[in-house]
PDB file of all heavy atoms in Angstrom:
ATOM      1  N   GLN A   2     -65.947 -28.138  85.062  1.00 82.00           N
ATOM      2  CA  GLN A   2     -65.480 -26.742  85.121  1.00 82.00           C
ATOM      3  C   GLN A   2     -64.622 -26.393  83.910  1.00 82.00           C
ATOM      4  O   GLN A   2     -63.807 -27.161  83.476  1.00 82.00           O
ATOM      5  CB  GLN A   2     -64.646 -26.550  86.415  1.00 82.00           C
ATOM      6  CG  GLN A   2     -64.299 -25.094  86.650  1.00 82.00           C
ATOM      7  CD  GLN A   2     -63.535 -24.944  87.979  1.00 82.00           C
ATOM      8  OE1 GLN A   2     -63.014 -25.873  88.528  1.00 82.00           O
ATOM      9  NE2 GLN A   2     -63.477 -23.720  88.442  1.00 82.00           N
ATOM     10  N   CYS A   3     -64.879 -25.196  83.393  1.00 87.00           N
ATOM     11  CA  CYS A   3     -64.127 -24.769  82.209  1.00 87.00           C
ATOM     12  C   CYS A   3     -62.705 -24.407  82.573  1.00 87.00           C
ATOM     13  O   CYS A   3     -62.466 -23.633  83.510  1.00 87.00           O
ATOM     14  CB  CYS A   3     -64.821 -23.533  81.584  1.00 87.00           C
ATOM     15  SG  CYS A   3     -63.896 -22.782  80.253  1.00 87.00           S
ATOM     16  N   PRO A   4     -61.672 -24.952  81.882  1.00 85.00           N
ATOM     17  CA  PRO A   4     -60.275 -24.635  82.205  1.00 85.00           C
ATOM     18  C   PRO A   4     -59.889 -23.219  81.743  1.00 85.00           C
ATOM     19  O   PRO A   4     -58.844 -22.701  82.164  1.00 85.00           O
ATOM     20  CB  PRO A   4     -59.484 -25.690  81.447  1.00 85.00           C
ATOM     21  CG  PRO A   4     -60.370 -26.102  80.336  1.00 85.00           C
ATOM     22  CD  PRO A   4     -61.787 -25.940  80.805  1.00 85.00           C
ATOM     23  N   HIS A   5     -60.695 -22.615  80.885  1.00 88.00           N
ATOM     24  CA  HIS A   5     -60.362 -21.253  80.380  1.00 88.00           C
ATOM     25  C   HIS A   5     -60.871 -20.159  81.302  1.00 88.00           C
ATOM     26  O   HIS A   5     -60.153 -19.224  81.618  1.00 88.00           O
ATOM     27  CB  HIS A   5     -60.949 -21.077  78.997  1.00 88.00           C
ATOM     28  CG  HIS A   5     -60.503 -22.182  78.043  1.00 88.00           C
ATOM     29  ND1 HIS A   5     -59.235 -22.294  77.576  1.00 88.00           N
ATOM     30  CD2 HIS A   5     -61.217 -23.196  77.466  1.00 88.00           C
ATOM     31  CE1 HIS A   5     -59.147 -23.342  76.763  1.00 88.00           C
ATOM     32  NE2 HIS A   5     -60.324 -23.910  76.699  1.00 88.00           N
ATOM     33  N   CYS A   6     -62.142 -20.260  81.694  1.00 91.00           N
ATOM     34  CA  CYS A   6     -62.771 -19.149  82.515  1.00 91.00           C
ATOM     35  C   CYS A   6     -63.255 -19.670  83.862  1.00 91.00           C
ATOM     36  O   CYS A   6     -63.766 -18.860  84.670  1.00 91.00           O
ATOM     37  CB  CYS A   6     -63.889 -18.535  81.745  1.00 91.00           C
ATOM     38  SG  CYS A   6     -65.346 -19.567  81.543  1.00 91.00           S
ATOM     39  N   ALA A   7     -63.074 -20.982  84.168  1.00 87.00           N
ATOM     40  CA  ALA A   7     -63.437 -21.531  85.449  1.00 87.00           C
ATOM     41  C   ALA A   7     -64.970 -21.513  85.672  1.00 87.00           C
ATOM     42  O   ALA A   7     -65.418 -21.683  86.812  1.00 87.00           O
ATOM     43  CB  ALA A   7     -62.699 -20.934  86.605  1.00 87.00           C
ATOM     44  N   HIS A   8     -65.722 -21.341  84.649  1.00 88.00           N
ATOM     45  CA  HIS A   8     -67.170 -21.389  84.746  1.00 88.00           C
ATOM     46  C   HIS A   8     -67.601 -22.832  85.068  1.00 88.00           C
ATOM     47  O   HIS A   8     -67.103 -23.769  84.397  1.00 88.00           O
ATOM     48  CB  HIS A   8     -67.837 -20.864  83.462  1.00 88.00           C
ATOM     49  CG  HIS A   8     -69.266 -20.547  83.640  1.00 88.00           C
ATOM     50  ND1 HIS A   8     -70.255 -21.456  83.406  1.00 88.00           N
ATOM     51  CD2 HIS A   8     -69.901 -19.424  84.051  1.00 88.00           C
ATOM     52  CE1 HIS A   8     -71.449 -20.893  83.640  1.00 88.00           C
ATOM     53  NE2 HIS A   8     -71.213 -19.660  84.035  1.00 88.00           N
ATOM     54  N   ASP A  10     -70.505 -24.438  84.524  1.00 87.00           N
ATOM     55  CA  ASP A  10     -71.453 -25.078  83.650  1.00 87.00           C
ATOM     56  C   ASP A  10     -70.887 -25.312  82.229  1.00 87.00           C
ATOM     57  O   ASP A  10     -70.424 -24.365  81.601  1.00 87.00           O
ATOM     58  CB  ASP A  10     -72.760 -24.203  83.522  1.00 87.00           C
ATOM     59  CG  ASP A  10     -73.522 -24.225  84.830  1.00 87.00           C
ATOM     60  OD1 ASP A  10     -73.412 -25.209  85.577  1.00 87.00           O
ATOM     61  OD2 ASP A  10     -74.238 -23.235  85.070  1.00 87.00           O
ATOM     62  N   ARG A  24     -68.360 -28.089  76.015  1.00 93.00           N
ATOM     63  CA  ARG A  24     -68.385 -26.736  75.569  1.00 93.00           C
ATOM     64  C   ARG A  24     -68.867 -25.877  76.714  1.00 93.00           C
ATOM     65  O   ARG A  24     -69.897 -26.123  77.343  1.00 93.00           O
ATOM     66  CB  ARG A  24     -69.330 -26.568  74.374  1.00 93.00           C
ATOM     67  CG  ARG A  24     -69.258 -25.157  73.809  1.00 93.00           C
ATOM     68  CD  ARG A  24     -70.132 -25.056  72.569  1.00 93.00           C
ATOM     69  NE  ARG A  24     -69.972 -23.764  71.954  1.00 93.00           N
ATOM     70  CZ  ARG A  24     -70.703 -23.384  70.932  1.00 93.00           C
ATOM     71  NH1 ARG A  24     -71.607 -24.189  70.400  1.00 93.00           N
ATOM     72  NH2 ARG A  24     -70.551 -22.199  70.395  1.00 93.00           N
ATOM     73  N   CYS A  25     -68.090 -24.817  77.032  1.00 93.00           N
ATOM     74  CA  CYS A  25     -68.410 -23.955  78.151  1.00 93.00           C
ATOM     75  C   CYS A  25     -69.622 -23.113  77.822  1.00 93.00           C
ATOM     76  O   CYS A  25     -69.736 -22.575  76.716  1.00 93.00           O
ATOM     77  CB  CYS A  25     -67.210 -23.063  78.476  1.00 93.00           C
ATOM     78  SG  CYS A  25     -67.516 -21.861  79.775  1.00 93.00           S
ATOM     79  N   GLN A  26     -70.567 -22.977  78.780  1.00 92.00           N
ATOM     80  CA  GLN A  26     -71.764 -22.212  78.555  1.00 92.00           C
ATOM     81  C   GLN A  26     -71.482 -20.705  78.614  1.00 92.00           C
ATOM     82  O   GLN A  26     -72.305 -19.929  78.083  1.00 92.00           O
ATOM     83  CB  GLN A  26     -72.842 -22.560  79.638  1.00 92.00           C
ATOM     84  CG  GLN A  26     -73.307 -23.960  79.568  1.00 92.00           C
ATOM     85  CD  GLN A  26     -74.280 -24.220  78.394  1.00 92.00           C
ATOM     86  OE1 GLN A  26     -73.899 -24.185  77.228  1.00 92.00           O
ATOM     87  NE2 GLN A  26     -75.553 -24.477  78.709  1.00 92.00           N
ATOM     88  N   ALA A  27     -70.405 -20.297  79.261  1.00 92.00           N
ATOM     89  CA  ALA A  27     -70.079 -18.877  79.367  1.00 92.00           C
ATOM     90  C   ALA A  27     -69.210 -18.366  78.233  1.00 92.00           C
ATOM     91  O   ALA A  27     -69.615 -17.424  77.539  1.00 92.00           O
ATOM     92  CB  ALA A  27     -69.399 -18.644  80.722  1.00 92.00           C
ATOM     93  N   CYS A  28     -68.048 -19.002  78.033  1.00 93.00           N
ATOM     94  CA  CYS A  28     -67.161 -18.480  76.994  1.00 93.00           C
ATOM     95  C   CYS A  28     -67.217 -19.229  75.685  1.00 93.00           C
ATOM     96  O   CYS A  28     -66.556 -18.875  74.730  1.00 93.00           O
ATOM     97  CB  CYS A  28     -65.707 -18.481  77.515  1.00 93.00           C
ATOM     98  SG  CYS A  28     -64.983 -20.110  77.726  1.00 93.00           S
ATOM     99  N   ARG A  29     -68.044 -20.295  75.638  1.00 93.00           N
ATOM    100  CA  ARG A  29     -68.303 -21.062  74.386  1.00 93.00           C
ATOM    101  C   ARG A  29     -67.055 -21.804  73.864  1.00 93.00           C
ATOM    102  O   ARG A  29     -67.068 -22.248  72.694  1.00 93.00           O
ATOM    103  CB  ARG A  29     -68.850 -20.116  73.283  1.00 93.00           C
ATOM    104  CG  ARG A  29     -70.119 -19.445  73.635  1.00 93.00           C
ATOM    105  CD  ARG A  29     -71.257 -20.402  73.540  1.00 93.00           C
ATOM    106  NE  ARG A  29     -72.552 -19.755  73.862  1.00 93.00           N
ATOM    107  CZ  ARG A  29     -73.642 -20.432  74.113  1.00 93.00           C
ATOM    108  NH1 ARG A  29     -73.639 -21.729  74.046  1.00 93.00           N
ATOM    109  NH2 ARG A  29     -74.760 -19.807  74.386  1.00 93.00           N
ATOM    110  N   ARG A  30     -66.021 -21.877  74.674  1.00 93.00           N
ATOM    111  CA  ARG A  30     -64.825 -22.595  74.211  1.00 93.00           C
ATOM    112  C   ARG A  30     -65.005 -24.091  74.461  1.00 93.00           C
ATOM    113  O   ARG A  30     -65.732 -24.485  75.368  1.00 93.00           O
ATOM    114  CB  ARG A  30     -63.595 -22.061  74.873  1.00 93.00           C
ATOM    115  CG  ARG A  30     -63.241 -20.660  74.368  1.00 93.00           C
ATOM    116  CD  ARG A  30     -62.289 -20.006  75.325  1.00 93.00           C
ATOM    117  NE  ARG A  30     -60.935 -20.193  74.870  1.00 93.00           N
ATOM    118  CZ  ARG A  30     -59.897 -19.501  75.351  1.00 93.00           C
ATOM    119  NH1 ARG A  30     -60.083 -18.668  76.376  1.00 93.00           N
ATOM    120  NH2 ARG A  30     -58.681 -19.717  74.944  1.00 93.00           N
ATOM    121  N   PHE A  32     -63.412 -27.863  75.341  1.00 90.00           N
ATOM    122  CA  PHE A  32     -62.299 -28.472  75.999  1.00 90.00           C
ATOM    123  C   PHE A  32     -62.606 -29.940  76.277  1.00 90.00           C
ATOM    124  O   PHE A  32     -63.723 -30.373  76.103  1.00 90.00           O
ATOM    125  CB  PHE A  32     -61.972 -27.716  77.305  1.00 90.00           C
ATOM    126  CG  PHE A  32     -63.108 -27.682  78.290  1.00 90.00           C
ATOM    127  CD1 PHE A  32     -63.190 -28.633  79.283  1.00 90.00           C
ATOM    128  CD2 PHE A  32     -64.056 -26.711  78.223  1.00 90.00           C
ATOM    129  CE1 PHE A  32     -64.242 -28.632  80.204  1.00 90.00           C
ATOM    130  CE2 PHE A  32     -65.130 -26.677  79.153  1.00 90.00           C
ATOM    131  CZ  PHE A  32     -65.215 -27.646  80.141  1.00 90.00           C
TER     132      PHE A  32
HETATM  133 ZN1   ZN B   1     -65.372 -20.976  79.828  1.00 80.64          ZN
END
Side-chain angles (χ1 to χ4, degrees):
Q2 188 177 17
C3 173
H5 306 291
C6 70
H8 194 269
D10 291 333
R24 186 175 186 186
C25 177
Q26 295 285 67
C28 70
R29 300 284 180 194
R30 290 163 95 170
F32 60 93

